[in-house]
Amino acid sequence: MRRIPQCRASHSLPWESTLQTPDFYENDAALAQYLEFHFGESWHGEPNFPKELADAALAALDGRDPGKALDIGCACGRSSFELAREFQHVDGIDFSGRFIEACRSIAKEKRVRYARPEEGELVSHQERSLDALGLAAASNRAVFHQGDACKLQPEFAGYDLVLAGNLIDRLYQPSLFLRHIHERINDLGLLVIASPYTWLEEYTPKEHWLGGFRRNGVDVTTLEGLKEMLAPHFRLLVEPRSLPFVIRETRNKFQHSFSELTVWEKVR
């Protein structure tokens, strides 16, 4: 029997042709693809997405205190390490135990090693150092935890910034995350959300989609759903913009997608 995905904190590959269950995130192929996505080469002229996402979040601070940040759905940790260049403390949380194990190993060893898929069973062995990426010193300020985005433990609170990258469209019930995340953020703190809005019933039952459907004969977008759900505690700080990203599956197969970035300020 196919497992029904729970609410979780795990980045999503933007694959629409292959439906994935949570077990997918625990295998070696997925881990290698995410390590390449986070720490590998840039492909087809697009910048490193986890770094760009963290840079956008840091720029949005605009003078706010870079005290404590949460990277929810941190996957293999690149955005967490990038945030730690400015923040005094960063918590990275992901549903996948394999991803968190990899994050902790990278933070300890200051390097990344993985077998990158090339063709069929053929792989190439890759190694990257945090020092070469300018992240070695900051890595000690990033701490990684396995956890559920919809059921965060009480200690995860008091944040000046929460980053949710490619997360909301892979939650079983994203409203559980969105309706309560304000409890974790300081007044005037920021919630930064990025998502390709790839809604799939294998991850999120249709009744829990934030957008991408028609209601009473009217199109409802995910941005409209976000505004409706976040309005009691947040205001949209800047106009949304798209960030491109490329997932390398093999030497000859790539997924080129766009994630819409929105920045929300918690109102007093």
Side-chain angles (χ1 to χ4, degrees), residues 10-84:
S10 181
H11 277 275
S12 60
L13 284 172
W15 295 352
E16 298 184 30
S17 58
T18 303
L19 303 180
Q20 309 296 347
T21 69
D23 291 332
F24 168 78
Y25 297 104
E26 303 303 321
N27 68 49
D28 290 338
L31 178 61
Q33 286 172 5
Y34 272 92
L35 288 170
E36 175 68 18
F37 183 44
H38 281 231
F39 300 99
E41 301 175 49
S42 295
W43 301 100
H44 300 287
E46 302 294 10
N48 180 282
F49 177 77
K51 182 181 188 306
E52 287 291 297
L53 188 56
D55 286 347
L58 290 170
L61 286 175
D62 192 27
R64 293 173 178 79
D65 178 34
K68 188 178 175 183
L70 170 63
D71 182 11
I72 185 76
C74 65
C76 294
R78 176 67 182 269
S79 293
S80 300
F81 292 131
E82 294 288 348
L83 289 175

Side-chain angles (χ1 to χ4, degrees), residues 10-239:
S10 181
H11 277 275
S12 60
L13 284 172
W15 295 352
E16 298 184 30
S17 58
T18 303
L19 303 180
Q20 309 296 347
T21 69
D23 291 332
F24 168 78
Y25 297 104
E26 303 303 321
N27 68 49
D28 290 338
L31 178 61
Q33 286 172 5
Y34 272 92
L35 288 170
E36 175 68 18
F37 183 44
H38 281 231
F39 300 99
E41 301 175 49
S42 295
W43 301 100
H44 300 287
E46 302 294 10
N48 180 282
F49 177 77
K51 182 181 188 306
E52 287 291 297
L53 188 56
D55 286 347
L58 290 170
L61 286 175
D62 192 27
R64 293 173 178 79
D65 178 34
K68 188 178 175 183
L70 170 63
D71 182 11
I72 185 76
C74 65
C76 294
R78 176 67 182 269
S79 293
S80 300
F81 292 131
E82 294 288 348
L83 289 175
R85 291 188 290 113
E86 300 290 338
F87 277 88
Q88 298 170 25
H89 178 87
V90 177
D91 286 312
I93 298 179
D94 201 276
F95 186 79
S96 168
R98 291 295 304 279
F99 286 0
I100 292 302
E101 182 181 344
C103 290
R104 291 170 176 168
S105 176
I106 294 165
K108 179 181 178 180
E109 303 296 332
K110 314 297 183 189
R111 64 184 60 251
V112 187
R113 297 185 180 93
Y114 57 98
R116 187 174 72 186
E118 297 296 341
E119 177 184 336
E121 296 180 347
L122 303 180
V123 300
S124 62
H125 295 281
Q126 304 291 318
E127 181 172 331
R128 308 281 188 271
S129 74
L130 292 189
D131 186 59
L133 297 172
L135 298 173
S139 63
N140 294 328
R141 294 194 291 275
V143 182
F144 297 96
H145 320 264
Q146 186 175 10
D148 187 330
C150 299
K151 298 178 182 178
L152 289 174
Q153 296 300 309
E155 62 266 28
F156 297 115
Y159 294 106
D160 302 294
L161 171 76
V162 171
L163 174 62
N166 287 7
L167 172 73
I168 60 168
D169 60 353
R170 289 300 179 266
L171 296 180
Y172 180 76
Q173 191 172 345
S175 62
L176 292 177
F177 169 71
L178 293 169
R179 291 194 189 281
H180 295 282
I181 193 60
H182 70 279
E183 300 167 4
R184 316 289 180 154
I185 301 176
N186 297 330
D187 287 345
L188 302 181
L190 300 182
L191 171 63
V192 178
I193 296 174
S195 174
Y197 306 151
T198 309
W199 298 104
L200 296 170
E201 291 188 85
E202 282 71 18
Y203 290 105
T204 312
K206 205 166 193 178
E207 62 266 26
H208 295 307
W209 291 8
L210 300 179
F213 55 83
R214 291 176 65 82
R215 180 195 295 156
N216 299 323
V218 178
D219 292 351
V220 178
T221 68
T222 303
L223 179 59
E224 291 168 337
L226 284 171
K227 288 179 177 178
E228 179 180 332
M229 196 155 292
L230 294 174
H233 302 287
F234 292 91
R235 70 181 183 95
L236 186 62
L237 197 60
V238 295
E239 285 299 308

